[in-house]
Amino acid sequence: MSNGLNGKVALVTGGTGGIGSAICIKLAQAGCKVVSTYMDEAQANDWKAKMAAAGFDMAIVKCDVSNFDDCKAMGDKLNADFGGVDVLVNNAGITKDGTFRKMGPDQWNAVLDVNLVSVFNVTKQVIDGMLNKGWGRVINISSINGQKGQFGQTNYAAAKAGMHGFSMSLAQETAKKGITVNSISPGYIGTEMVMAIPEDVRNQIVAQIPVGRLGKPEEIAALVTFLASEDGAFITGANIAANGGQHMC
Ligand code: NDP
C-alpha cells in the first residue's frame, strides 16, 4: 500500500536518531526512497548497515542542518542524485536545558540554530522543486513543550513554537501549489534518550500522561506517513499533538 508515496523521495533530517529511524522505516514501507542526513560518518554507516540487514535500502547524506552552506550543498546533491525531494521531514533536534537566568547565548543559539534555523536552511533547498512539480510535503517535528512551555527550556520551547509559526505561514504560501506544511508535536516518546532517564523520574513523567505510558517512535512515524500520503492532502498548517493526552489545546 503506497497511497501516493510509491517512488517519492523523502528526506528525513536526523533520520538516524530514535524517532527519525522509525520515520525512515515507515516512509520506506510506504514506498518512498528515503534519505537521512548524518553528522558522524561511522555512526551513519552502522545505521545504514543495520537498516540494510532489516531489508531497507536507506541513503545517507552528510549535513549539519544548522549551517546554510552545508544545506545548500546537500540540496544540490539531492537534486543531482534523486531529482529533488518530494517529502521533507524536519526532524533533527537537540536540547541544552537550563533556567533562563543561567542560560548563556551559546546555549540559546545552539538550540535555536539546530531546531529552528535549520527548518529555514533545509526547506529553502527543496521548496522550489516541490513548487515546480506541483506536489510536496513538509512535516516539522515540534514538541509538546513548544505548546505548553517547560521549566528550563526557554530555548527549546521558543524554537519548537517557532516551527509551528513557520508551518502555518508556509502552508498559506504554498497551499494552491499542491504542497502541505504541518507540524507534529510529540509528547514523551520512549526513545533511548527518554529511557535513559532514571526509572523513578520516568515514572513521574508517565504519571502525568493520561494514557499511562510513553509514546512509541512508530506512532509518530505513522502520523508523518499519513500526512505525507494522499489521504493527508486536506491537512495543512496544522499542529497535530501526539502526547497521550498530556496537553490538550
Ligand atoms: P535523537 O537525539 O535520537 O535524534 C536527533 C537527531 O538529530 C540525531 O540523528 C542527530 O544526529 C540529529 N542532529 C542533531 N544535531 C544536528 C545537526 N546540527 N545537523 C543534522 N542533524 C542533527 O532525538 P529524538 O529522536 O528523540 O528526537 C527527534 C525529534 O523529535 C527532535 O526534533 C526532538 O526535539 C523531537 N521530540 C522528541 C521527543 C522525545 O520524547 N524523544 C518529544 C518531542 C519532540 P547525531 O546523532 O549525529 O547527533
Side-chain angles (χ1 to χ4, degrees):
M1 208 279 293
S2 79
N3 200 357
L5 289 175
N6 211 22
K8 293 274 196 283
V9 177
L11 171 64
V12 182
T13 68
T16 61
I19 294 174
S21 294
I23 294 173
C24 289
I25 289 171
K26 277 267 197 286
L27 287 173
Q29 285 171 334
C32 290
K33 173 66 208 170
V34 178
V35 187
S36 168
T37 65
Y38 71 88
M39 302 270 283
D40 180 282
E41 186 149 10
Q43 212 182 326
N45 282 328
D46 276 0
W47 178 85
K48 192 171 152 55
K50 269 192 208 133
M51 288 288 169
F56 301 106
D57 178 22
M58 304 293 186
I60 51 175
V61 59
K62 190 171 172 60
C63 182
D64 173 353
V65 295
S66 67
N67 180 308
F68 187 84
D69 292 341
D70 244 32
C71 294
K72 172 83 175 65
M74 170 177 68
D76 291 346
K77 184 168 169 47
L78 294 177
N79 282 336
D81 292 357
F82 301 104
V85 170
D86 304 297
V87 177
L88 167 62
V89 186
N90 284 308
N91 164 76
I94 57 165
T95 54
K96 286 190 185 291
D97 295 356
T99 58
F100 182 67
R101 289 186 67 199
K102 291 186 182 150
M103 188 177 293
D106 288 354
Q107 233 173 321
W108 171 267
N109 289 329
V111 169
L112 267 288
D113 284 350
V114 176
N115 293 279
L116 182 60
V117 176
S118 65
V119 175
F120 171 84
N121 291 346
V122 180
T123 310
K124 198 78 182 150
Q125 313 309 327
V126 305
I127 201 74
D128 285 348
M130 290 179 180
L131 288 166
N132 289 338
K133 287 182 192 168
W135 196 94
R137 299 284 188 264
V138 179
I139 300 160
N140 296 318
I141 307 300
S142 179
S143 166
I144 184 175
N145 293 345
Q147 298 180 295
K148 70 172 187 57
Q150 177 63 31
F151 187 97
Q153 288 197 331
T154 50
N155 51 1
Y156 184 76
K160 292 302 193 184
M163 286 175 102
H164 183 50
F166 173 94
S167 298
M168 291 187 289
S169 304
L170 187 63
Q172 291 179 34
E173 292 181 23
T174 58
K176 283 201 167 61
K177 307 282 185 185
I179 299 171
T180 67
V181 188
N182 292 289
S183 309
I184 293 175
S185 288
Y188 283 90
I189 307 301
T191 55
E192 271 176 34
M193 187 181 72
V194 171
M195 296 313 284
I197 298 173
E199 197 179 354
D200 55 328
V201 180
R202 228 183 322 126
N203 289 341
Q204 287 168 25
I205 293 170
V206 171
Q208 295 165 20
I209 304 174
V211 303
R213 65 170 175 84
L214 299 170
K216 300 175 193 161
E218 294 75 21
E219 290 171 321
I220 304 305
L223 191 48
V224 168
T225 306
F226 176 75
L227 289 174
S229 75
E230 281 309 323
D231 283 342
F234 199 56
I235 302 173
T236 195
N239 184 10
I240 302 180
N243 62 34
Q246 192 183 352
H247 179 70
M248 303 181 186
C249 60

